[in-house]
Amino acid sequence: QLQLQESGSGLVRPSQTLSLTCAVSGGSVSRGAYSWTWIRQPLGRGLEWIGDFYHSAGTYYNPSLRSRVTISLDRSRNRFSLQLTSVSAADTAVYFCARGEPYVGDYATEYYFSSWGQGLPVTVSS
Amino acid sequence: QSVLTQPPSVSGAPGQRVTISCSGTSSNIGAGYGVQWYKNLPGAAPKVLIYGNTKRPSGVPDRFSGSKSGTSASLAITGLQADDEAEYFCLSYDTGLSGPVFGGGTKLTVL
């Protein structure tokens, strides 16, 4: 059974870079069929998609974060990572990693999140 | 705040049936993308219950069912059990965002 586990600093200073890693066990990040995704939830607010990595199609990012975010894969360590630069208090949230599993939708291939990490709280504060 | 609109809370007695609604727009649910439903407990990984509007992953009981009509979708839970008490959120893809959007979550209380 696939398991995902987020790790990284739980406290980041304003204007610095948030760096998180998602360790994958029970499966390989090198398998090409899936998406490798980051999602976050600010306290008291709804979930927000950050971005995806696809082997076949590269990366896709939320337009509101695109200028600051990078998602990458580390095949040798079977994990994927998130970097978010120039953070502010608005980036304080619980950060989740997830694997997207493809299925055939009504019009195109779509993805549902079959596996998630438990979430990592990150606070941006001086 | 959330793109998809859900009621903040619903409740039901053990054994009863409850439904949770998820309202979107022509840019997401109404655009033909499938709706997904997840169960979320504090400190735990969210669990998918429904994808593609009506499909259940293996291992999800048939007490859980999904439906969609126009720009709205619903999750129905029958034979309510104590361990169904959790937050449930919906998801669909959005043409404007080119990515997934979420409901704000609905807290289900089993009376």
Side-chain angles (χ1 to χ4, degrees), chain A residues 49-54 57-62 66 69 71, chain B residues 98:
Chain A
W49 168 67
I50 298 171
D52 306 305
F53 180 99
Y54 298 88
T59 50
Y60 290 81
Y61 300 130
N62 188 316
R66 183 175 292 136
V69 67
I71 295 174
Chain B
S98 295

PDB file of all heavy atoms in Angstrom, chain A residues 49-54 57-62 66 69 71, chain B residues 98:
ATOM      1  N   TRP A  49      -5.076  23.961  -4.248  1.00  0.00           N
ATOM      2  CA  TRP A  49      -4.121  23.224  -5.064  1.00  0.00           C
ATOM      3  C   TRP A  49      -2.889  24.094  -5.307  1.00  0.00           C
ATOM      4  O   TRP A  49      -3.011  25.257  -5.678  1.00  0.00           O
ATOM      5  CB  TRP A  49      -4.775  22.844  -6.387  1.00  0.00           C
ATOM      6  CG  TRP A  49      -3.870  22.327  -7.441  1.00  0.00           C
ATOM      7  CD1 TRP A  49      -3.162  21.155  -7.433  1.00  0.00           C
ATOM      8  CD2 TRP A  49      -3.566  22.956  -8.687  1.00  0.00           C
ATOM      9  NE1 TRP A  49      -2.454  21.028  -8.599  1.00  0.00           N
ATOM     10  CE2 TRP A  49      -2.678  22.104  -9.391  1.00  0.00           C
ATOM     11  CE3 TRP A  49      -3.962  24.152  -9.293  1.00  0.00           C
ATOM     12  CZ2 TRP A  49      -2.193  22.419 -10.656  1.00  0.00           C
ATOM     13  CZ3 TRP A  49      -3.482  24.473 -10.552  1.00  0.00           C
ATOM     14  CH2 TRP A  49      -2.593  23.614 -11.226  1.00  0.00           C
ATOM     15  N   ILE A  50      -1.697  23.502  -5.108  1.00  0.00           N
ATOM     16  CA  ILE A  50      -0.453  24.226  -5.348  1.00  0.00           C
ATOM     17  C   ILE A  50       0.110  23.868  -6.719  1.00  0.00           C
ATOM     18  O   ILE A  50       0.471  24.753  -7.505  1.00  0.00           O
ATOM     19  CB  ILE A  50       0.589  23.898  -4.261  1.00  0.00           C
ATOM     20  CG1 ILE A  50       0.083  24.334  -2.884  1.00  0.00           C
ATOM     21  CG2 ILE A  50       1.929  24.564  -4.587  1.00  0.00           C
ATOM     22  CD1 ILE A  50       0.964  23.860  -1.729  1.00  0.00           C
ATOM     23  N   GLY A  51       0.202  22.578  -7.007  1.00  0.00           N
ATOM     24  CA  GLY A  51       0.733  22.188  -8.305  1.00  0.00           C
ATOM     25  C   GLY A  51       0.947  20.690  -8.417  1.00  0.00           C
ATOM     26  O   GLY A  51       0.827  19.958  -7.439  1.00  0.00           O
ATOM     27  N   ASP A  52       1.242  20.258  -9.659  1.00  0.00           N
ATOM     28  CA  ASP A  52       1.433  18.845  -9.982  1.00  0.00           C
ATOM     29  C   ASP A  52       2.712  18.644 -10.775  1.00  0.00           C
ATOM     30  O   ASP A  52       3.132  19.519 -11.528  1.00  0.00           O
ATOM     31  CB  ASP A  52       0.312  18.323 -10.907  1.00  0.00           C
ATOM     32  CG  ASP A  52      -1.070  18.547 -10.386  1.00  0.00           C
ATOM     33  OD1 ASP A  52      -1.356  18.119  -9.270  1.00  0.00           O
ATOM     34  OD2 ASP A  52      -1.863  19.144 -11.141  1.00  0.00           O
ATOM     35  N   PHE A  53       3.271  17.424 -10.650  1.00  0.00           N
ATOM     36  CA  PHE A  53       4.345  16.974 -11.535  1.00  0.00           C
ATOM     37  C   PHE A  53       3.839  15.758 -12.286  1.00  0.00           C
ATOM     38  O   PHE A  53       3.342  14.808 -11.663  1.00  0.00           O
ATOM     39  CB  PHE A  53       5.600  16.613 -10.736  1.00  0.00           C
ATOM     40  CG  PHE A  53       6.741  16.145 -11.611  1.00  0.00           C
ATOM     41  CD1 PHE A  53       7.758  17.014 -11.959  1.00  0.00           C
ATOM     42  CD2 PHE A  53       6.796  14.833 -12.083  1.00  0.00           C
ATOM     43  CE1 PHE A  53       8.809  16.593 -12.769  1.00  0.00           C
ATOM     44  CE2 PHE A  53       7.842  14.408 -12.885  1.00  0.00           C
ATOM     45  CZ  PHE A  53       8.843  15.293 -13.228  1.00  0.00           C
ATOM     46  N   TYR A  54       3.953  15.795 -13.617  1.00  0.00           N
ATOM     47  CA  TYR A  54       3.621  14.654 -14.451  1.00  0.00           C
ATOM     48  C   TYR A  54       4.867  14.264 -15.236  1.00  0.00           C
ATOM     49  O   TYR A  54       5.531  15.123 -15.822  1.00  0.00           O
ATOM     50  CB  TYR A  54       2.526  15.000 -15.463  1.00  0.00           C
ATOM     51  CG  TYR A  54       1.206  15.398 -14.885  1.00  0.00           C
ATOM     52  CD1 TYR A  54       0.945  16.723 -14.558  1.00  0.00           C
ATOM     53  CD2 TYR A  54       0.196  14.468 -14.688  1.00  0.00           C
ATOM     54  CE1 TYR A  54      -0.273  17.106 -14.043  1.00  0.00           C
ATOM     55  CE2 TYR A  54      -1.036  14.834 -14.179  1.00  0.00           C
ATOM     56  CZ  TYR A  54      -1.258  16.153 -13.858  1.00  0.00           C
ATOM     57  OH  TYR A  54      -2.471  16.522 -13.351  1.00  0.00           O
ATOM     58  N   ALA A  57       4.046  15.188 -18.903  1.00  0.00           N
ATOM     59  CA  ALA A  57       3.610  16.540 -19.256  1.00  0.00           C
ATOM     60  C   ALA A  57       4.299  17.638 -18.460  1.00  0.00           C
ATOM     61  O   ALA A  57       3.977  18.807 -18.647  1.00  0.00           O
ATOM     62  CB  ALA A  57       2.094  16.653 -19.101  1.00  0.00           C
ATOM     63  N   GLY A  58       5.221  17.290 -17.583  1.00  0.00           N
ATOM     64  CA  GLY A  58       5.922  18.307 -16.812  1.00  0.00           C
ATOM     65  C   GLY A  58       5.124  18.790 -15.614  1.00  0.00           C
ATOM     66  O   GLY A  58       4.364  18.039 -15.029  1.00  0.00           O
ATOM     67  N   THR A  59       5.316  20.054 -15.284  1.00  0.00           N
ATOM     68  CA  THR A  59       4.697  20.601 -14.086  1.00  0.00           C
ATOM     69  C   THR A  59       3.583  21.584 -14.423  1.00  0.00           C
ATOM     70  O   THR A  59       3.631  22.274 -15.453  1.00  0.00           O
ATOM     71  CB  THR A  59       5.748  21.337 -13.230  1.00  0.00           C
ATOM     72  OG1 THR A  59       6.485  22.244 -14.070  1.00  0.00           O
ATOM     73  CG2 THR A  59       6.703  20.353 -12.572  1.00  0.00           C
ATOM     74  N   TYR A  60       2.584  21.625 -13.554  1.00  0.00           N
ATOM     75  CA  TYR A  60       1.481  22.569 -13.648  1.00  0.00           C
ATOM     76  C   TYR A  60       1.318  23.213 -12.279  1.00  0.00           C
ATOM     77  O   TYR A  60       1.296  22.518 -11.265  1.00  0.00           O
ATOM     78  CB  TYR A  60       0.175  21.867 -14.044  1.00  0.00           C
ATOM     79  CG  TYR A  60       0.153  21.382 -15.457  1.00  0.00           C
ATOM     80  CD1 TYR A  60       0.774  20.191 -15.810  1.00  0.00           C
ATOM     81  CD2 TYR A  60      -0.468  22.122 -16.458  1.00  0.00           C
ATOM     82  CE1 TYR A  60       0.768  19.741 -17.116  1.00  0.00           C
ATOM     83  CE2 TYR A  60      -0.486  21.684 -17.774  1.00  0.00           C
ATOM     84  CZ  TYR A  60       0.138  20.492 -18.091  1.00  0.00           C
ATOM     85  OH  TYR A  60       0.138  20.055 -19.389  1.00  0.00           O
ATOM     86  N   TYR A  61       1.191  24.520 -12.264  1.00  0.00           N
ATOM     87  CA  TYR A  61       1.110  25.249 -11.008  1.00  0.00           C
ATOM     88  C   TYR A  61      -0.135  26.122 -10.959  1.00  0.00           C
ATOM     89  O   TYR A  61      -0.620  26.613 -11.987  1.00  0.00           O
ATOM     90  CB  TYR A  61       2.347  26.130 -10.823  1.00  0.00           C
ATOM     91  CG  TYR A  61       3.662  25.388 -10.793  1.00  0.00           C
ATOM     92  CD1 TYR A  61       4.733  25.792 -11.591  1.00  0.00           C
ATOM     93  CD2 TYR A  61       3.847  24.289  -9.959  1.00  0.00           C
ATOM     94  CE1 TYR A  61       5.946  25.123 -11.562  1.00  0.00           C
ATOM     95  CE2 TYR A  61       5.058  23.612  -9.921  1.00  0.00           C
ATOM     96  CZ  TYR A  61       6.101  24.027 -10.725  1.00  0.00           C
ATOM     97  OH  TYR A  61       7.301  23.362 -10.694  1.00  0.00           O
ATOM     98  N   ASN A  62      -0.613  26.350  -9.736  1.00  0.00           N
ATOM     99  CA  ASN A  62      -1.680  27.309  -9.519  1.00  0.00           C
ATOM    100  C   ASN A  62      -1.174  28.686  -9.982  1.00  0.00           C
ATOM    101  O   ASN A  62      -0.105  29.126  -9.557  1.00  0.00           O
ATOM    102  CB  ASN A  62      -2.034  27.340  -8.027  1.00  0.00           C
ATOM    103  CG  ASN A  62      -3.269  28.165  -7.729  1.00  0.00           C
ATOM    104  OD1 ASN A  62      -3.443  29.260  -8.262  1.00  0.00           O
ATOM    105  ND2 ASN A  62      -4.115  27.651  -6.863  1.00  0.00           N
ATOM    106  N   ARG A  66       2.441  30.573  -9.237  1.00  0.00           N
ATOM    107  CA  ARG A  66       3.377  30.099 -10.265  1.00  0.00           C
ATOM    108  C   ARG A  66       4.739  30.762 -10.209  1.00  0.00           C
ATOM    109  O   ARG A  66       5.764  30.116 -10.428  1.00  0.00           O
ATOM    110  CB  ARG A  66       2.766  30.285 -11.652  1.00  0.00           C
ATOM    111  CG  ARG A  66       3.626  29.755 -12.788  1.00  0.00           C
ATOM    112  CD  ARG A  66       2.904  29.861 -14.107  1.00  0.00           C
ATOM    113  NE  ARG A  66       1.763  28.954 -14.153  1.00  0.00           N
ATOM    114  CZ  ARG A  66       0.560  29.306 -14.623  1.00  0.00           C
ATOM    115  NH1 ARG A  66       0.352  30.532 -15.077  1.00  0.00           N
ATOM    116  NH2 ARG A  66      -0.415  28.427 -14.647  1.00  0.00           N
ATOM    117  N   VAL A  69       6.747  28.985  -7.039  1.00  0.00           N
ATOM    118  CA  VAL A  69       6.713  27.571  -6.669  1.00  0.00           C
ATOM    119  C   VAL A  69       7.486  26.704  -7.655  1.00  0.00           C
ATOM    120  O   VAL A  69       7.521  26.991  -8.866  1.00  0.00           O
ATOM    121  CB  VAL A  69       5.246  27.089  -6.563  1.00  0.00           C
ATOM    122  CG1 VAL A  69       4.556  27.101  -7.917  1.00  0.00           C
ATOM    123  CG2 VAL A  69       5.173  25.709  -5.941  1.00  0.00           C
ATOM    124  N   ILE A  71       8.008  22.336  -8.124  1.00  0.00           N
ATOM    125  CA  ILE A  71       7.819  20.950  -7.697  1.00  0.00           C
ATOM    126  C   ILE A  71       8.775  20.090  -8.510  1.00  0.00           C
ATOM    127  O   ILE A  71       8.850  20.217  -9.739  1.00  0.00           O
ATOM    128  CB  ILE A  71       6.368  20.491  -7.899  1.00  0.00           C
ATOM    129  CG1 ILE A  71       5.428  21.279  -6.986  1.00  0.00           C
ATOM    130  CG2 ILE A  71       6.232  18.989  -7.618  1.00  0.00           C
ATOM    131  CD1 ILE A  71       3.956  21.000  -7.208  1.00  0.00           C
TER     132      ILE A  71
ATOM    133  N   SER B  98      -7.181  25.548 -14.482  1.00  0.00           N
ATOM    134  CA  SER B  98      -6.461  24.403 -15.061  1.00  0.00           C
ATOM    135  C   SER B  98      -5.929  23.496 -13.960  1.00  0.00           C
ATOM    136  O   SER B  98      -4.826  22.939 -14.061  1.00  0.00           O
ATOM    137  CB  SER B  98      -5.309  24.869 -15.961  1.00  0.00           C
ATOM    138  OG  SER B  98      -5.798  25.556 -17.093  1.00  0.00           O
TER     139      SER B  98
END
